[in-house]
């Protein structure tokens, strides 16, 4: 057997995907982070037309110009970010954007600050780039929100970047404006990069998403269409900078890895941005009802649960180390919180990207399990 590259020694396969792949088909899956809605019809029709018109050839490396122009308009109108189509790159999902950022900017020995808990891909991408992940605690007493003062304590002369994610996977936390702005100010004062993963920005309840790129030029903003428009399998995302030098370095990774994003998905993405947003509003409204249900039921069972303000996850405190296995046997799939960092210990991530009825059934099963355990 040929030995793998040493950089893979610290990388484990995703525990989320493992849970997904071994799932009993009859179990209620609260483990996977994927909207249970279908792609809106207008987006489907746009993609069908693109195929019928033989729009299946290479696009510019950065993506179709008209799509990048719409992304630029979206950033200006919704996020207060001034960028240009030349500083936007259409990616194969936000995941590729994250990988591009770490490969382009993180060297061996560079420290990258990560919220703890946070999405497990962040640490893996930093490790693959040879960087050193540095944990910043997101405490339950702060509703798992990343606080600027905690970030400041972890900054050293080796700090190269921080990865932000608001709304957050796995906790549903939405950062406060003052913390976003303070971290943006720190990025200028201490000269480090902010990689801002805003893939859940539209899935937010009674709050507003704030982009650090509004306050600092040391920011790469990641976003996409997977969560907002239920386009997960189409793998279409984007990133933007306000610095052409940053864009050029990112393009080197994208060009030699991907060449360009899927043409059909790009046409669907253009329609997603320019077409009606009614289905998005309906989806977010339904997610909020489900959030209210799952938080209420878990708290009633004695599992302390923060009232998550965004995304479609809750992160209840569950100290039973056998809970995930017992729940799976009973017919409910969840993910152990420790998969997202040491502060996930004694927590479990549950996704409410499942029907209201299925969530009710899942909570009934868990309640039965508690009462008969």
């Amino acid at each position: 057997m040929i030995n793998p590259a040493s950089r893979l020694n610290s990388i484990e396969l995703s525990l989320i995907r493992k849970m997904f792949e071994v799932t009993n088909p009859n179990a209620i899956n609260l483990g996977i982070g994927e909207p249970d809605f279908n792609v809106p019809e207008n987006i489907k029709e746009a993609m069908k037309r693109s195929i019928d018109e033989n729009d299946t050839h290479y696009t510019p490396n950065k993506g179709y110009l008209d799509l990048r122009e719409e992304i630029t308009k979206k950033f200006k109108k919704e996020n207060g970010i001034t960028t240009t189509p030349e500083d936007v790159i259409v990616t194969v999902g936000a995941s590729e954007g994250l990988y591009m950022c770490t490969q382009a900017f993180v060297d061996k020995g560079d420290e990258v600050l990560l919220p703890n808990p946070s999405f497990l891909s962040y640490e893996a991408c930093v490790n693959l780039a040879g960087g050193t992940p540095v944990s910043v605690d997101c405490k339950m007493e702060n509703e798992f929100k990343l606080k600027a003062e905690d970030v400041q304590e972890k900054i050293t002369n080796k700090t190269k970047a921080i990865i932000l994610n608001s709304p957050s996977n796995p906790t549903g936390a939405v950062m406060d404006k003052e913390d976003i702005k303070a971290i943006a100010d720190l990025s200028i004062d201490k000269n480090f990069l902010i990689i801002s993963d805003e893939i859940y920005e539209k899935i937010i309840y009674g709050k507003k998403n704030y982009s650090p790129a509004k306050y600092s030029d040391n920011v790469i903003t990641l976003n996409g269409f997977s969560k907002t428009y239920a386009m997960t399998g189409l793998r279409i995302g984007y990133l933007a900078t306000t610095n052409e030098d940053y864009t050029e370095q990112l393009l080197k990774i994208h060009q030699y890895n991907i060449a360009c994003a899927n043409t059909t998905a790009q046409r669907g993405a253009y329609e997603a941005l320019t077409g009606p947003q009614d289905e998005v509003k309906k989806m977010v409204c339904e997610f909020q009802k489900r959030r209210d249900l799952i938080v209420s039921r878990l708290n009633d069972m004695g599992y302390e649960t923060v009232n998550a303000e965004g995304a479609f996850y809750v992160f209840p405190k569950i100290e039973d180390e056998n809970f995930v296995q017992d729940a799976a046997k009973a017919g409910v799939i969840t993910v152990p919180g420790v998969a997202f960092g040491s502060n996930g210990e004694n927590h479990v991530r549950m996704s409410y990207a499942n029907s209201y009825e299925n969530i009710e059934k899942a909570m009934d099963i868990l309640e039965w399990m508690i009462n008969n355990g």
Side-chain angles (χ1 to χ4, degrees):
M1 176 181 170
I2 305 300
N3 291 329
S6 59
R7 62 179 168 272
L8 295 181
N9 291 343
S10 64
I11 308 298
E12 298 288 341
L13 290 173
S14 165
L15 186 54
I16 301 172
R17 300 305 301 183
K18 286 181 182 178
M19 295 298 294
F20 179 64
E21 289 164 4
V22 302
T23 294
N24 177 341
N26 298 316
I28 298 172
N29 195 339
L30 304 184
I32 200 73
E34 177 178 40
D36 58 313
F37 299 91
N38 293 322
V39 176
E41 290 299 321
N42 62 308
I43 299 175
K44 289 183 188 177
E45 291 302 319
M47 292 191 290
K48 290 176 188 176
R49 284 195 305 273
S50 78
I51 293 173
D52 290 341
E53 294 168 2
N54 297 310
D55 189 8
T56 55
H57 300 281
Y58 288 128
T59 77
N61 289 137
K62 292 179 181 178
Y64 282 122
L65 178 58
D66 59 353
L67 174 56
R68 288 184 283 126
E69 288 173 339
E70 290 302 323
I71 291 170
T72 300
K73 291 176 188 175
K74 180 262 177 206
F75 273 126
K76 182 67 174 176
K77 180 180 177 181
E78 298 182 6
N79 304 96
I81 300 171
T82 301
T83 185
T84 71
E86 288 307 306
D87 288 316
V88 171
I89 301 175
V90 181
T91 61
V92 182
S95 296
E96 190 219 343
L98 172 67
Y99 183 79
M100 288 164 59
C101 291
T102 52
Q103 288 296 311
F105 289 99
V106 178
D107 270 324
K108 185 174 182 180
D110 286 343
E111 293 180 350
V112 180
L113 307 184
L114 302 179
N116 181 2
S118 64
F119 186 47
L120 44 82
S121 289
Y122 301 155
E123 183 173 357
C125 284
V126 172
N127 284 330
L128 283 169
T132 302
V134 174
S135 171
V136 183
D137 290 342
C138 298
K139 305 177 182 71
M140 191 174 188
E141 55 262 36
N142 291 330
E143 299 180 318
F144 298 112
K145 296 178 182 183
L146 185 65
K147 307 303 290 183
E149 57 266 27
D150 294 328
V151 171
Q152 187 166 10
E153 287 181 3
K154 295 299 179 81
I155 295 171
T156 71
N157 59 5
K158 293 182 180 180
T159 302
K160 186 66 170 289
I162 185 172
I163 300 178
L164 303 184
N165 178 216
S166 179
S168 160
N169 175 6
T171 66
V174 175
M175 289 181 66
D176 295 324
K177 178 182 179 180
E178 55 264 34
D179 290 306
I180 292 282
K181 189 175 185 309
I183 293 169
D185 290 342
L186 284 170
S187 77
I188 299 168
D189 294 341
K190 302 295 185 180
N191 195 33
F192 62 84
L193 182 68
I194 297 175
I195 302 167
S196 182
D197 180 355
E198 302 180 22
I199 191 71
Y200 294 99
E201 69 162 344
K202 294 289 182 71
I203 305 174
I204 196 164
Y205 319 115
K207 296 278 287 187
K208 179 173 168 38
N209 174 66
Y210 292 94
S211 298
K214 182 177 180 179
Y215 311 107
S216 170
D217 288 334
N218 289 347
V219 182
I220 302 169
T221 306
L222 309 181
N223 211 320
F225 300 86
S226 292
K227 313 301 182 180
T228 300
Y229 299 96
M231 294 170 67
T232 51
L234 291 161
R235 309 311 303 133
I236 190 77
Y238 55 92
L239 61 76
T241 79
T242 55
N243 184 318
E244 63 183 13
D245 292 332
Y246 291 174
T247 308
E248 183 177 352
Q249 303 311 314
L250 291 162
L251 186 59
K252 291 176 184 177
I253 306 299
H254 178 71
Q255 188 178 74
Y256 293 114
N257 186 32
I258 299 297
C260 67
N262 177 298
T263 54
T264 305
Q266 287 193 59
R267 291 307 188 198
Y270 179 86
E271 175 62 27
L273 288 178
T274 59
Q277 304 297 305
D278 299 359
E279 292 302 311
V280 175
K281 293 173 184 175
K282 288 179 187 176
M283 183 174 70
V284 173
C285 183
E286 179 61 25
F287 277 140
Q288 185 167 2
K289 289 197 292 186
R290 297 174 186 179
R291 188 277 310 263
D292 293 344
L293 169 67
I294 197 168
V295 168
S296 173
R297 290 292 302 272
L298 287 168
N299 279 320
D300 286 347
M301 288 181 223
Y303 295 137
E304 184 182 356
T305 306
V306 171
N307 192 36
E309 296 173 329
F312 37 67
Y313 309 101
V314 289
F315 208 59
K317 186 174 184 179
I318 300 177
E319 299 185 41
D320 179 0
E321 62 183 21
N322 298 315
F323 177 90
V324 171
Q325 292 80 4
D326 291 344
K329 290 176 186 175
V332 179
I333 305 301
T334 60
V335 180
V338 74
F340 304 95
S342 59
N343 283 341
E345 189 175 357
N346 297 326
H347 289 270
V348 173
R349 190 191 79 167
M350 298 184 192
S351 166
Y352 48 92
N354 208 319
S355 72
Y356 192 94
E357 293 73 23
N358 276 345
I359 293 169
E360 282 189 310
K361 290 176 186 176
M363 295 301 103
D364 289 342
I365 290 170
L366 296 182
E367 191 166 14
W368 178 89
M369 187 178 81
I370 294 168
N371 294 333
N372 293 273

